[in-house]
Amino acid sequence: QVQLVESGGALVQPGDSLRLSCVASGRTFSSSPMGWFRQAAGKEREFVAAKSWISYTTYYADSVRGRFTITRDAAKNTVYLQMNNLKPEDTAVYYCAAGAGRVGTSTHQYDYWGQGTQVTVFS
C-alpha cells in the first residue's frame, strides 16, 4: 500500500521558518516527480513547489519563490519543504504528492497524495 505522510505543520508567527516532511512508504519514489500543494480554507488547492529527481527540473509558485525550497533525502524516501519568512497568506493545509510522469504544477499530474499538515501563520 502506497502512503505519503506529511508532518511538520505548526502555528507560527510571520517571519518564522518551518520544514515540512513527507515520508513515502509502500514503494520507492526515487524517480518520481514530487510536489507540494496547499489549500487554504474556502479556496482551491494550489501548487507550491515540485521537482523532478531525474532532470532536477524545479518549479515554484511565484508567491513562494525565494522563500520555499523543495529537497529530499532519497535514503529516507522523504521529501521536504523548507519554508522561510512565512507570511499570513501561507496559512493552509499543505499536501505532498507523487507523480508518475513529467514534473508539473497541476494536481492532475500527481497520482498519490498525503493527508495534509496544517500550517498557520498568525500575528
Side-chain angles (χ1 to χ4, degrees), residues 1-6 21-30 32 34 73-79 96-98 112:
Q1 180 182 1
V2 175
Q3 260 195 320
L4 299 176
V5 180
E6 303 96 333
S21 300
C22 172
V23 179
S25 61
R27 55 164 282 191
T28 180
F29 288 96
S30 59
S32 300
M34 299 292 291
D73 183 331
K76 296 181 178 179
N77 222 17
T78 299
V79 175
C96 80
Y112 302 101

Side-chain angles (χ1 to χ4, degrees), residues 8-110:
L11 191 62
V12 297
Q13 294 186 321
D16 285 351
S17 296
L18 274 179
R19 189 178 76 163
L20 305 183
S21 300
C22 172
V23 179
S25 61
R27 55 164 282 191
T28 180
F29 288 96
S30 59
S31 61
S32 300
M34 299 292 291
W36 286 94
F37 292 77
R38 67 187 182 187
Q39 188 165 17
K43 295 187 177 181
E44 293 187 354
R45 192 169 298 189
E46 66 174 8
F47 169 74
V48 175
K51 186 162 188 167
S52 164
W53 311 108
I54 298 176
S55 67
Y56 294 97
T57 300
T58 308
Y59 296 113
Y60 292 101
D62 289 342
S63 59
V64 308
R65 187 175 291 110
R67 299 188 297 123
F68 291 12
T69 305
I70 182 171
T71 60
R72 74 164 180 174
D73 183 331
K76 296 181 178 179
N77 222 17
T78 299
V79 175
Y80 303 99
L81 184 68
Q82 177 67 43
M83 306 187 295
N84 297 329
N85 189 23
L86 283 161
K87 303 176 180 180
E89 52 263 42
D90 294 320
T91 295
V93 177
Y94 283 72
Y95 299 90
C96 80
R102 297 181 65 178
V103 63
T105 62
S106 169
T107 57
H108 301 295
Q109 293 175 276
Y110 295 86

